[in-house]
Amino acid sequence: MSRTSLVGTPQRRIMMGVLLVDTIAAGAFYPLTFLYLRLGTDLPVTRIGLVLTGGGLVALLLNPLAGSIADRWGAQRTIVAANACCGVGYLGLVDIHGWPQLVVAVAFITLSQRLYWVGWPVFVAEQAAEGETLDHWFAVVNAFKSGALGLGAALAAVALSVGDVGTLRAILLCAVAASFLSAVVFARLRPAPSSPGKDGADEGSGDGAGASDAAGAGWRAVLRDRPYTAMTAAHTALTFAWLLPGVALPVYLVDALDLPPWVPSAAFAMNTVLPVLFQTTVSRALVPLRRTRAVLIGAGFFVLAFALFAGAHDAPPAFALLCTAAGMVLFSLGEMSAGPAAQALSMDAAPVPLRGRYSSVFQTSWTVSNVAGPAVVGALLGWNGLALWLVLGLLVGAGGLGFVACEKRFPARVLRTGPNGGDR
């Protein structure tokens, strides 16, 4: 398959274009939500924090609902609903008149995120035509989204350097417009044609029956799929690695290492640029391996990165900067190795009629780390900076080994990264 085949049709070019606009808008405003609410409202900071944290906890309860919606409505309609809910939620933040309005707006944003992250992998899986691997799809889409998020964050930084609350509100209005535009365009896309090559995925991960049996069993089939739930548990441990760029590293670099405040921003910029440049190259290099082994390699890169960050502790500033740069390269390699392989495995291991429910179970791993992660990172940093990297390394290492431990329970077709891959 050629590198440009994912945008080889007008439908796909439109899809990727809308993804670009929507993701740039999300990258520009979402990281600034708390700052906007603190500067643009009279609400106490503690109450804002409680509402936003409560939204994260509610997300755990909304995952099953999002999975059922994706199976019943289809992935395309689920993404349309996600973008529409996001637009409504962001619109509710434009002019806030009290905390009840904030609660409602955050509820819509939280629901939109669950619908989006459950529906998006299913939508990508439906777009892959016969002969195209999910690994390549997820690799290209992830690189695309990484670059768009980085561009959005850069635009926001530039805007904030010359603006104030009014600038934040303008960015928010752009995000509102992008969300509604995405909903309209996605609603007008033609559904992806069913591919004969997709029928094999109806078998599930190994313990389930055929597609009709799976559809009838619903959530019972998902919860009885022990290989899949074990893989999700391993992925939950692995997702704690992704706390590094936005949660763990900024505080560690500035507070523990006493580096200048621009260093975390530079590290984040590296993390967004490297996948754009090298994601497809890394994915092609991993084709001969089983997906579980690709995830293990990614976990190994993560652990090496954590070791470098730990080595920067109490080191001279120049050496700490060198460790930070090398650590971000290794961390990005970990993302590029483990991310697409784990996502592709999660979709190929799911029966097609239940992909929404299976996706919601798999996405729960991200919700757990996003909710628990900041508290874990804060507690460990408050105790001992080196303890943070030890605990994260143990979690991520266990996650990578957990994927390998599950591989004997999955059919060979699920473990392959391509027609001739997955032999090692």
Side-chain angles (χ1 to χ4, degrees):
M1 182 175 57
S2 68
R3 297 180 66 179
T4 59
S5 63
L6 298 192
V7 291
T9 66
Q11 166 121 338
R12 291 183 175 185
R13 286 193 290 270
I14 292 172
M15 181 188 76
M16 299 300 279
V18 174
L19 177 65
L20 176 66
V21 172
D22 191 37
T23 309
I24 289 176
F29 180 76
Y30 188 73
L32 304 174
T33 303
F34 195 105
L35 177 64
Y36 168 76
L37 294 174
R38 182 172 67 83
L39 297 178
T41 71
D42 296 327
L43 299 176
V45 173
T46 53
R47 182 165 292 181
I48 294 174
L50 285 174
V51 172
L52 295 180
T53 301
L57 294 173
V58 170
L60 284 169
L61 304 177
L62 291 178
N63 259 349
L65 173 63
S68 297
I69 288 174
D71 286 334
R72 182 178 296 272
W73 291 2
Q76 183 172 343
R77 292 178 179 176
T78 301
I79 292 177
V80 171
N83 280 296
C85 286
C86 187
V88 171
Y90 279 164
L91 193 60
L93 298 181
V94 173
D95 189 17
I96 296 178
H97 299 283
W99 69 266
Q101 181 182 344
L102 175 61
V103 169
V104 173
V106 169
F108 271 98
I109 294 171
T110 301
L111 177 59
S112 76
Q113 290 174 336
R114 290 305 91 209
L115 290 172
Y116 182 86
W117 289 114
V118 168
W120 181 251
V122 181
F123 181 76
V124 171
E126 291 175 353
Q127 301 306 306
E130 188 171 8
E132 295 178 330
T133 65
L134 289 184
D135 305 77
H136 187 66
W137 262 95
F138 282 118
V140 173
V141 169
N142 287 356
F144 201 76
K145 289 173 70 68
S146 177
L149 283 171
L151 180 58
L155 291 174
V158 172
L160 285 177
S161 68
V162 295
D164 50 11
V165 177
T167 303
L168 285 170
R169 186 169 285 110
I171 296 173
L172 173 59
L173 289 172
C174 290
V176 171
S179 297
F180 286 130
L181 174 64
S182 298
V184 172
V185 175
F186 266 104
R188 295 177 64 85
L189 289 176
R190 296 189 305 276
S194 60
S195 169
K198 296 177 185 178
D199 296 340
D202 294 345
E203 300 167 17
S205 62
D207 287 352
S212 59
D213 293 339
W219 281 107
R220 292 194 307 275
V222 181
L223 298 178
R224 285 201 307 263
D225 195 334
R226 285 174 292 182
Y228 199 92
T229 53
M231 179 187 69
T232 300
H235 190 252
T236 301
L238 189 70
T239 58
F240 277 81
W242 274 268
L243 294 171
L244 182 110
V247 178
L249 200 58
V251 179
Y252 178 74
L253 293 179
V254 175
D255 288 356
L257 303 188
D258 200 26
L259 292 176
W262 60 263
V263 176
S265 298
F268 178 75
M270 287 182 63
N271 185 228
T272 58
V273 170
L274 287 173
V276 176
L277 299 175
F278 300 111
Q279 175 67 82
T280 54
T281 302
V282 172
S283 295
R284 282 200 306 273
L286 295 173
V287 165
L289 302 180
R290 297 174 183 175
R291 286 166 170 161
T292 48
R293 305 299 172 90
V295 173
L296 181 62
I297 289 174
F301 280 127
F302 287 143
V303 172
L304 289 175
F306 297 158
L308 279 176
F309 292 127
H313 197 267
D314 291 333
F319 184 75
L321 286 173
L322 181 62
C323 287
T324 299
M328 285 311 300
V329 171
L330 290 171
F331 176 79
S332 299
L333 285 171
E335 285 186 310
M336 291 184 275
S337 301
Q343 287 179 306
L345 178 58
S346 74
M347 285 292 96
D348 269 347
V352 171
L354 295 180
R355 271 179 171 166
R357 289 176 173 86
Y358 271 75
S359 178
S360 70
V361 169
F362 191 74
Q363 292 299 319
T364 299
S365 58
W366 293 101
T367 310
V368 170
S369 61
N370 286 337
V371 171
V376 172
V377 169
L380 290 172
L381 281 175
W383 176 41
N384 188 307
L386 294 179
L388 170 68
W389 306 116
L390 176 62
V391 172
L392 286 181
L394 290 173
L395 275 172
V396 171
L401 292 172
F403 268 84
V404 176
C406 294
E407 67 183 15
K408 292 183 179 179
R409 304 291 301 276
F410 288 108
R413 62 163 182 83
V414 170
L415 300 174
R416 289 196 299 266
T417 58
N420 301 314
D423 297 327
R424 292 185 280 139

